[in-house]
Amino acid sequence: MRIAVIASIAHRVPPRGYGPWEQVAATLTEGLVARGHEVTLFATADSLTTARLHATAAAGYEEDPSRDAKVDEALHLASVFERADRFDVISNQFDFLPLAFSRLVATPVVTTVHGFSSEKILPVYRAYDDVTHYVSISDASRHPDLTYAATIHHGIDPGTISLGGGDGGHLLFLGRIHPDKGTALAVEVARRAGRPLVIAGVIHDRDYFRSSVEPHLDGEHVTYVGPVGPAERDHLLGGAVAMLHLIDFEEPFGLSVAESMMAGTPVVAHPRGSMPELVRPGVNGFLVDDVDQAVAAVEQAALLDRARCRADAVDRFSHDRMVEAYEALFERVVGSADAGPGRAR
Amino acid sequence: MRIAVIASIAHRVPPRGYGPWEQVAATLTEGLVARGHEVTLFATADSLTTARLHATAAAGYEEDPSRDAKVDEALHLASVFERADRFDVISNQFDFLPLAFSRLVATPVVTTVHGFSSEKILPVYRAYDDVTHYVSISDASRHPDLTYAATIHHGIDPGTISLGGGDGGHLLFLGRIHPDKGTALAVEVARRAGRPLVIAGVIHDRDYFRSSVEPHLDGEHVTYVGPVGPAERDHLLGGAVAMLHLIDFEEPFGLSVAESMMAGTPVVAHPRGSMPELVRPGVNGFLVDDVDQAVAAVEQAALLDRARCRADAVDRFSHDRMVEAYEALFERVVGSADAGPGRAR
């Protein structure tokens, strides 16, 4: 198939540090190329890919403060849809804005709903429910107002994450520093479990970081290492006894959770959002309701079979499985589009 | 002709208070309807028009803080371009975002460039220079990189502004409270001219208002009346001896300047942007380089023939002249589009 992948242009593809949407776009693109498809990745000019790269923005607008996000997005999306007739299918890994263009072209658009940044964006998704083919990234993230063509969990290339021994002895918080992600709760659980905590990720809520995280940083029991790239990420994940994911929101997927499992590191999580779909208690982690349970679960997690944890993650969250699922969906969508003027779901 | 007018959805059309883009969209729409055209106005649902109104947003996003501007703009513009084949021409009174849709439809798009909010948006205008037909709102506002189909000064319905006698005795500042607009300079000129100053308009720069305007407000020599609707605007304009427009930026047009002239009230302005095109020294105001000249000009302005000032404004800035100019341009553009697949300029 001739496939266009629309990536976010907040960051480069693949991202240097934070950027789960860009990471998924990269993994999908490379997987589709490996399967012999003719793929064009629409992303920033500094992106790295084996697909054909089409770029209108030199760099990500989050990485270059001189850029104007609205201008970059307009030129980015126009460049995709003005070339729509060159593709059999368009994979929208962006956000809601491509939907506004989707009725103007004949090429079917498959939109991966990475998350609803706010209830306010729902009207756009509702307005294109009969046009685009929505993919949910977990069953838990499905919105009752929308029709979905498939749920496809994010996938990770197992070659990029090695099985670790947990021999760093630390607990790990990996993600945005934000109340939603439970950074402060992780500090409390680590203290009570008597384990050092390493915190890695971008600071999304500076006030929260200052008031609830920074005061605990002592370089020994609690350390903050900032955002991390792939190599340090692999090292931190593999050395961790467990990852703490005590979220306070309905997380649509949680890429770092699947990454942790792939490193053999069990995840102790609140049962919110997609966590009950990702965490298999006693295999790759535990679901806990409060701090007491979390502290107990950390010690249980240390006893789990890390190789089995990884094997389960490779089985359920490998890039192959994700790419196959998208490929099957694209074939179904293209077949329906070819069958006639009506758009089948 | 079947004409679509895309209005800004920051405010209602016509605006209750501030909203020059929305005012121009309203004036143009009503004028085209009066000339027998089949006009659809794309604007907020609370807009008032004799054209057919098509709305996706209930209210302006600047008037309802619960609204999401990006979501509203996406649905607004999609609703226009998804119906493009119902129109002979699309008049874009919005901003740059409609350009991103313009290559996806066959209907010609005429884009009025109301201003470049930033140099950063130029790449979008450049990218569509060969597709859309640009209208500059003054010769002074033309950007050397762009090709323009016409310059069309904004127009005002003379029926909405009456000839005033200047019998309020005050000087008037009418516009956004912002350093660009020279509010503080107006205070100084009024003080030295020994005339009371009335300041009307929205506060766009709160720090500037607090530091440079508010300390001078005494309810007698300097008064701030906030944003004003049509009736109070007419009253303030008609009662003013002169309007002070001591701008510190390249103003693309200056609707309030033309309104003032139409009320018979001369304008004392810095010769920046479009001012040399609008102000005819000794007829409808004066161009001044500094405060001394401005103070002298205020007294000269008080002696000008207000009826002649208005007559000149009616002649040059009436809605009829603007609507005729747009009508002629639309006919030219539609004729070229009909003539063949190539888009003539």
Side-chain angles (χ1 to χ4, degrees):
Chain A
M1 284 179 285
R2 298 168 304 161
I3 304 168
V5 176
I6 317 179
S8 160
I9 51 169
H11 301 280
R12 188 191 80 174
V13 173
R16 293 178 175 85
Y18 179 77
W21 297 26
E22 290 85 355
Q23 182 57 59
V24 170
T27 304
L28 177 61
T29 298
E30 299 313 309
L32 290 167
V33 170
R35 283 165 182 274
H37 297 292
E38 196 182 306
V39 186
T40 301
L41 174 66
F42 290 82
T44 59
D46 56 352
S47 294
L48 307 173
T49 181
T50 59
R52 176 198 297 245
L53 176 66
H54 189 100
T56 48
Y61 59 78
E62 290 286 357
E63 299 178 1
D64 177 355
S66 78
R67 306 202 67 84
D68 183 299
K70 194 172 176 181
V71 164
D72 283 0
E73 289 184 354
L75 290 172
H76 178 55
L77 298 181
S79 79
V80 178
F81 286 94
E82 288 169 1
R83 287 161 183 77
D85 60 1
R86 304 182 193 177
F87 304 106
D88 299 309
V89 62
I90 295 170
S91 171
N92 169 20
Q93 302 289 333
F94 186 92
D95 200 350
F96 66 84
L97 203 49
L99 299 174
F101 295 80
S102 62
R103 277 204 188 93
L104 304 176
V105 301
T107 310
V109 177
V110 176
T111 294
T112 300
V113 185
H114 283 267
F116 301 105
S117 52
S118 140
E119 278 282 320
K120 290 180 183 175
I121 69 177
L122 261 171
V124 187
Y125 285 101
R126 276 196 209 101
Y128 290 88
D129 193 55
D130 62 334
V131 180
T132 194
H133 306 263
Y134 288 124
V135 173
S136 46
I137 59 175
S138 66
D139 289 335
S141 70
R142 289 192 170 205
H143 194 282
D145 290 359
L146 304 184
T147 314
Y148 292 88
T151 289
I152 306 180
H153 285 152
H154 289 336
I156 299 158
D157 178 353
T160 62
I161 296 182
S162 39
L163 173 62
D167 38 7
H170 59 271
L171 300 176
L172 180 64
F173 173 94
L174 177 60
R176 296 178 293 119
I177 317 297
H178 189 281
D180 279 353
K181 293 284 193 174
T183 325
L185 266 187
V187 171
E188 186 182 349
V189 169
R191 184 181 55 75
R192 288 191 37 196
R195 298 265 189 186
L197 177 70
V198 178
I199 299 171
V202 293
I203 297 170
H204 261 211
D205 183 331
R206 188 153 290 278
D207 288 344
Y208 174 69
F209 177 76
R210 287 212 180 107
S211 66
S212 305
V213 178
E214 205 169 36
H216 303 286
L217 301 180
D218 58 9
E220 186 187 348
H221 300 96
V222 185
T223 317
Y224 174 58
V225 298
V228 291
E232 193 175 1
R233 187 184 200 85
D234 192 45
H235 175 73
L236 285 173
L237 282 168
V241 172
M243 183 160 107
L244 298 175
H245 202 71
L246 306 168
I247 50 174
D248 192 27
F249 80 121
E250 304 307 319
E251 176 140 48
F253 185 77
L255 198 58
S256 63
V257 168
E259 289 173 341
S260 180
M261 293 167 173
M262 207 163 270
T265 303
V267 177
V268 175
H270 279 160
R272 300 282 299 272
S274 65
M275 288 305 110
E277 274 174 74
L278 272 63
V279 177
R280 299 177 67 185
V283 174
N284 56 23
F286 293 96
L287 296 169
V288 299
D289 291 324
D290 54 33
V291 169
D292 286 345
Q293 288 185 20
V295 172
V298 162
E299 293 318 307
Q300 294 292 314
L303 304 173
L304 293 180
D305 179 347
R306 296 182 63 103
R308 188 180 167 213
C309 174
R310 174 178 168 89
D312 179 71
V314 169
D315 187 43
R316 297 196 296 142
F317 305 119
S318 77
H319 64 327
D320 281 344
R321 184 208 39 76
M322 176 179 83
V323 175
E324 265 171 40
Y326 273 104
E327 186 182 45
L329 174 59
F330 294 162
E331 275 167 358
R332 179 152 64 88
V333 163
V334 172
S336 307
D338 287 347
R343 186 72 48 85
R345 301 306 301 264
Chain B
M1 286 178 283
R2 299 168 305 160
I3 303 168
V5 175
I6 317 178
S8 159
I9 51 169
H11 301 281
R12 188 190 81 173
V13 172
R16 292 178 176 84
Y18 179 75
W21 297 25
E22 291 84 354
Q23 182 56 59
V24 170
T27 305
L28 177 61
T29 298
E30 300 313 308
L32 290 168
V33 170
R35 282 163 183 275
H37 296 292
E38 197 183 305
V39 186
T40 302
L41 173 66
F42 291 82
T44 59
D46 56 353
S47 293
L48 307 174
T49 182
T50 58
R52 176 197 299 245
L53 176 66
H54 189 100
T56 49
Y61 57 79
E62 290 286 358
E63 299 178 2
D64 177 355
S66 78
R67 306 202 66 85
D68 184 299
K70 193 173 176 179
V71 164
D72 283 359
E73 289 185 352
L75 291 172
H76 178 53
L77 297 181
S79 79
V80 178
F81 287 93
E82 289 170 1
R83 288 161 182 78
D85 60 1
R86 303 182 194 177
F87 305 106
D88 298 310
V89 63
I90 295 171
S91 171
N92 169 21
Q93 302 288 335
F94 187 90
D95 199 351
F96 67 83
L97 203 49
L99 299 174
F101 295 80
S102 62
R103 277 204 188 93
L104 303 175
V105 301
T107 310
V109 177
V110 175
T111 294
T112 300
V113 185
H114 283 266
F116 301 105
S117 53
S118 140
E119 277 283 319
K120 290 180 183 176
I121 70 177
L122 262 170
V124 187
Y125 285 100
R126 276 196 208 100
Y128 290 88
D129 192 55
D130 62 335
V131 180
T132 194
H133 305 262
Y134 289 125
V135 173
S136 45
I137 60 176
S138 65
D139 289 334
S141 70
R142 290 193 169 204
H143 194 283
D145 290 0
L146 303 184
T147 314
Y148 292 87
T151 288
I152 305 180
H153 285 153
H154 289 335
I156 299 158
D157 178 354
T160 63
I161 295 182
S162 39
L163 172 64
D167 40 5
H170 59 272
L171 301 176
L172 179 65
F173 173 95
L174 177 60
R176 300 177 291 120
I177 316 297
H178 190 282
D180 279 353
K181 293 283 194 174
T183 326
L185 266 188
V187 171
E188 187 182 347
V189 169
R191 184 182 55 75
R192 288 191 36 197
R195 299 264 189 187
L197 176 71
V198 177
I199 300 171
V202 294
I203 297 170
H204 261 212
D205 184 331
R206 189 153 289 280
D207 289 344
Y208 174 69
F209 177 76
R210 286 211 182 107
S211 67
S212 305
V213 179
E214 205 169 37
H216 303 287
L217 301 181
D218 58 9
E220 185 187 347
H221 301 95
V222 185
T223 317
Y224 174 57
V225 297
V228 291
E232 194 176 358
R233 187 186 201 84
D234 192 45
H235 175 73
L236 285 174
L237 281 169
V241 171
M243 184 160 106
L244 298 175
H245 203 69
L246 306 168
I247 50 174
D248 191 25
F249 79 121
E250 304 306 319
E251 177 140 49
F253 184 78
L255 198 58
S256 62
V257 168
E259 289 172 342
S260 181
M261 293 167 174
M262 207 164 271
T265 303
V267 177
V268 175
H270 279 161
R272 301 281 299 272
S274 64
M275 288 306 109
E277 273 175 74
L278 272 63
V279 177
R280 298 176 68 184
V283 174
N284 56 23
F286 294 97
L287 296 170
V288 299
D289 291 325
D290 55 33
V291 169
D292 285 345
Q293 289 185 19
V295 172
V298 162
E299 293 318 306
Q300 293 292 314
L303 305 174
L304 293 181
D305 178 347
R306 295 181 64 104
R308 187 181 167 212
C309 175
R310 174 177 168 91
D312 179 71
V314 170
D315 187 44
R316 296 196 297 144
F317 305 119
S318 76
H319 64 327
D320 281 342
R321 186 209 38 78
M322 176 181 82
V323 175
E324 264 172 40
Y326 273 105
E327 185 181 45
L329 174 60
F330 294 162
E331 276 167 359
R332 180 152 64 91
V333 163
V334 172
S336 308
D338 287 348
R343 185 72 50 85
R345 301 307 300 267

